[in-house]
């Protein structure tokens, strides 16, 4: 399922969600039984050479104790051939009710490279990575983070697929290194509808639990939504809604 992947999940706010999502928590495909948007867990699928998709997603996060943040992200991805996919994402967020209230803009350059398996295999493994940049207000853009990780997918049963992520994020903005992880299960519920459940986080904060729904409206248009809740006191919440168009 379909950022910036995305995305906020184990990160402190939506400002760094796109970087986290690109490593182990969000990005790809409008294909049945594959994670990615609207889930945060990344799938191991890679677009074929010449195939592209455009993702437009909005997110609303309730921060602890009383802040709120809204964001919009636009991401384009294309298959470059030889099991490689490249992505470029842009994002803007507005935060209110906290000491850091204001607007932040950012972007991301990411890739996926197939290591094992193929589109028809029951199991596959993919290398994923990204470099992200951001700016607050009218300040100049700066590099925000670098990330690298692995995404694996495997068929568990008829109509049921599992996904697992493990990655490393180096954040210059927070002066912190994090180990990212994610687990998800997807079920091809009925026809063009897929349901997903996931658990994801890092080694610094309590994990998040989320649910996602994806509807393949046409062969080239997919709609998705997700809801995630942090498993900690205060219970930060994240809601996303968007679409993926293939061409």
């Amino acid at each position: 399922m379909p950022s910036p992947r995305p995305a906020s999940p184990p990160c402190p706010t939506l400002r760094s969600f796109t970087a986290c999502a690109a490593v182990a928590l969000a990005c790809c495909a409008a294909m049945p039984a594959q994670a990615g948007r609207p889930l945060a867990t990344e799938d191991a699928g890679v677009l074929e050479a010449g195939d592209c998709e455009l993702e437009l997603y909005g997110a609303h996060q309730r921060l602890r104790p009383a802040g709120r943040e809204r964001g919009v992200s636009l991401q384009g991805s294309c298959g470059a051939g030889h099991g490689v996919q490249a992505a470029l994402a842009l994002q803007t967020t507005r935060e209110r009710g906290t000491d850091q209230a204001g607007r932040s803009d950012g972007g991301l350059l990411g890739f996926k490279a197939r290591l094992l398996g193929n589109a028809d295999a029951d199991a596959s493994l993919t290398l994923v990575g990204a470099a992200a940049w951001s700016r607050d207000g009218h300040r100049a853009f700066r590099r925000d983070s670098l990330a690298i990780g692995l995404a694996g997918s495997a068929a568990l049963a008829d109509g049921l697929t599992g996904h697992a992520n493990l990655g490393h994020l180096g954040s210059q903005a927070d002066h912190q290194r994090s180990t990212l992880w994610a687990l998800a299960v997807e079920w091809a519920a009925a026809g063009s509808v897929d349901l997903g459940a996931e658990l994801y986080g890092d080694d610094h904060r309590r994990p998040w639990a989320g649910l996602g729904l994806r509807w393949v409206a046409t062969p080239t248009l997919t709609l998705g939504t997700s809801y995630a809740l942090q498993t900690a006191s205060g219970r930060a919440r994240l809601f996303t809604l968007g679409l993926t168009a293939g061409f």
Side-chain angles (χ1 to χ4, degrees), residues 115-215:
L115 301 178
L116 299 171
N118 54 54
D120 299 320
D122 289 336
S124 54
L125 182 67
T126 299
L127 178 70
V128 292
W133 66 92
S134 65
R135 72 173 181 179
D136 295 328
H138 298 290
R139 298 179 182 177
F141 281 98
R142 63 180 182 183
R143 194 177 71 184
D144 183 71
S145 59
L146 292 172
I148 194 76
L150 295 171
S153 298
L156 303 178
D158 186 23
L160 195 65
T161 306
H163 308 279
N165 299 167
L166 182 64
H168 179 79
L169 174 72
S171 174
Q172 291 185 320
D174 298 330
H175 304 287
Q176 180 173 274
R177 296 181 181 275
S178 303
T179 297
L180 307 177
W181 60 270
L183 297 171
V185 175
E186 272 196 288
W187 175 45
S192 58
V193 176
D194 293 335
L195 302 177
E198 63 183 343
L199 187 68
Y200 56 95
D202 65 15
D203 57 340
H204 297 294
R205 302 171 185 87
R206 296 293 298 272
W208 289 66
L211 298 173
L213 182 148
R214 182 181 60 215
W215 174 44

